[in-house]
Amino acid sequence: MRPEMSLRHPWWSEIALLLVAAGLGIWLLLQPGLIQGLPFTLRLPAVLLGIWALGAAFLRPLAPALPRPLLCRALSPPWNQLSLALFTLLVVVRALLV
């Protein structure tokens, strides 16, 4: 176990985030119309949220100790879990409405 991991955020939490991010990535590769069908004013924030959510989920377990505090805060568990949850909710709601 890495020293920066605490009991508050166990190792299986990072694995769950990776699996959700991988599932969303594959789903969006198979059905890109979920994001492409949005108007541009909604598509741009959705793409930026997706980049943050999926990028943070994939990068967090691999980043040992980031030197920049802004990156550490953006990749910290409460923020990257929230962004991934919001992006998952956006994609699921969009799939149900289409």
Side-chain angles (χ1 to χ4, degrees), residues 33-94:
L34 293 175
I35 301 295
Q36 289 176 351
L38 291 171
F40 183 73
T41 56
L42 296 176
R43 188 181 328 150
L44 184 61
V47 167
L48 293 175
L49 178 65
I51 289 170
W52 178 26
L54 297 179
F58 286 127
L59 184 62
R60 179 65 187 158
L62 302 175
L66 296 173
R68 298 184 182 123
L70 183 62
L71 281 178
C72 288
R73 187 174 302 143
L75 295 177
S76 67
W79 291 109
N80 71 348
Q81 290 171 352
L82 179 66
S83 67
L84 190 61
L86 285 173
F87 189 65
T88 303
L89 182 67
L90 172 80
V91 171
V92 168
V93 167
R94 180 74 178 138

Side-chain angles (χ1 to χ4, degrees), residues 6-60:
S6 66
L7 294 176
R8 190 170 159 202
H9 301 288
W11 59 271
W12 53 265
S13 173
E14 290 186 6
I15 291 175
L17 287 175
L18 276 172
L19 290 175
V20 169
L24 276 173
I26 291 170
W27 189 13
L28 288 172
L29 282 173
L30 294 175
Q31 295 183 353
L34 293 175
I35 301 295
Q36 289 176 351
L38 291 171
F40 183 73
T41 56
L42 296 176
R43 188 181 328 150
L44 184 61
V47 167
L48 293 175
L49 178 65
I51 289 170
W52 178 26
L54 297 179
F58 286 127
L59 184 62
R60 179 65 187 158

